[in-house]
Amino acid sequence: RSPWHLPPWVFEGLAKYFKGNPYEGADLFIVTRNPYSRVISEYHCPWVGKRSDDSEVLNHWVKEKLRKVNPKMLHRKLEGLRDGAGGDGSFILHRKHLIPQVEYVFESDGKTRLVPEENTLHFENLAVEFPKLLARYSMDRWVQLPAKKVNVGKNKTLTHRDLYPATVKLINDFFRRDFEEFGY
């Protein structure tokens, strides 16, 4: 099990498995990402994605991944995991990178914020937003982003422009709240 892939509110029922809730009493922050970029990044993931720069393969892969599950189903599965009725969690762990990011920001009610708005960063603007976060916590002298990007894939030519209109609609529907809450 990988606790870092689970929303903080899920730990209410899982703390016994992880020596307590690692988020309890902590000031939380999140780095969100544009859902289109996030899906394409997952597509290129060496563990669960594809190794093809063919837009047809990309669109088929996205449709297969997002049609098998919807945000409400994922939320119910996360609640089941929290409440001890989620089995071994394999359903969630196989879909962890596609869980809508709002699940990490809000309580299970979808309304109460766990992550303050000022601690919600955007991957696309990390070079500006992360230093501001660090300054708010007086950590800007000790922590800095690396000057060089790390974990950057090679030979990845597909972008959001390669998504078909039907695939874009599927992503828009699936990640609707991410688009709304995080300004994408």
Side-chain angles (χ1 to χ4, degrees):
R1 294 184 191 202
S2 175
W4 311 120
H5 289 103
L6 297 173
W9 59 267
V10 174
F11 278 89
E12 294 167 15
L14 297 179
K16 61 187 172 202
Y17 299 111
F18 298 107
K19 298 181 183 176
N21 183 340
Y23 302 112
E24 192 172 324
D27 287 346
L28 303 179
F29 76 95
I30 185 171
V31 178
T32 64
R33 191 169 188 183
N34 181 300
Y36 302 126
S37 300
R38 190 169 171 225
V39 166
I40 290 170
S41 178
E42 181 71 355
Y43 169 79
H44 285 297
C45 175
W47 297 280
V48 295
K50 295 282 185 182
R51 290 181 175 80
S52 171
D53 279 335
D54 181 331
S55 62
E56 183 78 30
V57 175
L58 165 68
N59 284 275
H60 177 76
W61 182 89
V62 172
K63 288 176 187 174
E64 285 297 308
K65 288 289 182 182
L66 298 186
R67 282 190 177 148
K68 289 180 181 176
V69 68
N70 64 58
K72 287 181 183 178
M73 177 196 292
L74 271 175
H75 186 81
R76 284 192 304 272
K77 293 284 189 178
L78 286 166
E79 286 178 325
L81 194 57
R82 176 198 62 198
D83 298 339
D88 64 359
S90 62
F91 180 87
I92 293 299
L93 293 177
H94 285 89
R95 291 156 182 84
K96 61 188 172 256
H97 294 152
L98 294 176
I99 294 173
Q101 296 164 113
V102 293
E103 293 285 0
Y104 297 87
V105 173
F106 294 93
E107 271 288 357
S108 64
D109 65 10
K111 298 174 186 161
T112 307
R113 268 192 173 268
L114 292 168
V115 180
E117 194 165 349
E118 64 272 12
N119 288 3
T120 302
L121 313 180
H122 299 82
F123 181 80
E124 300 78 9
N125 201 24
L126 201 55
V128 172
E129 294 175 356
F130 191 63
K132 289 179 183 178
L133 172 76
L134 292 174
R136 278 197 303 280
Y137 288 91
S138 301
M139 296 176 68
D140 48 327
R141 284 189 255 171
W142 298 289
V143 180
Q144 293 182 357
L145 287 174
K148 180 180 161 188
K149 289 184 177 183
V150 294
N151 198 21
V152 177
K154 296 178 177 110
N155 303 321
K156 295 178 182 170
T157 60
L158 296 172
T159 71
H160 67 279
R161 291 180 184 89
D162 295 295
L163 297 169
Y164 299 159
T167 309
V168 168
K169 182 180 180 340
L170 194 60
I171 293 170
N172 289 346
D173 292 345
F174 192 91
F175 293 105
R176 178 187 57 80
R177 285 207 55 218
D178 284 358
F179 282 107
E180 293 170 358
E181 294 292 341
F182 309 126
Y184 290 114

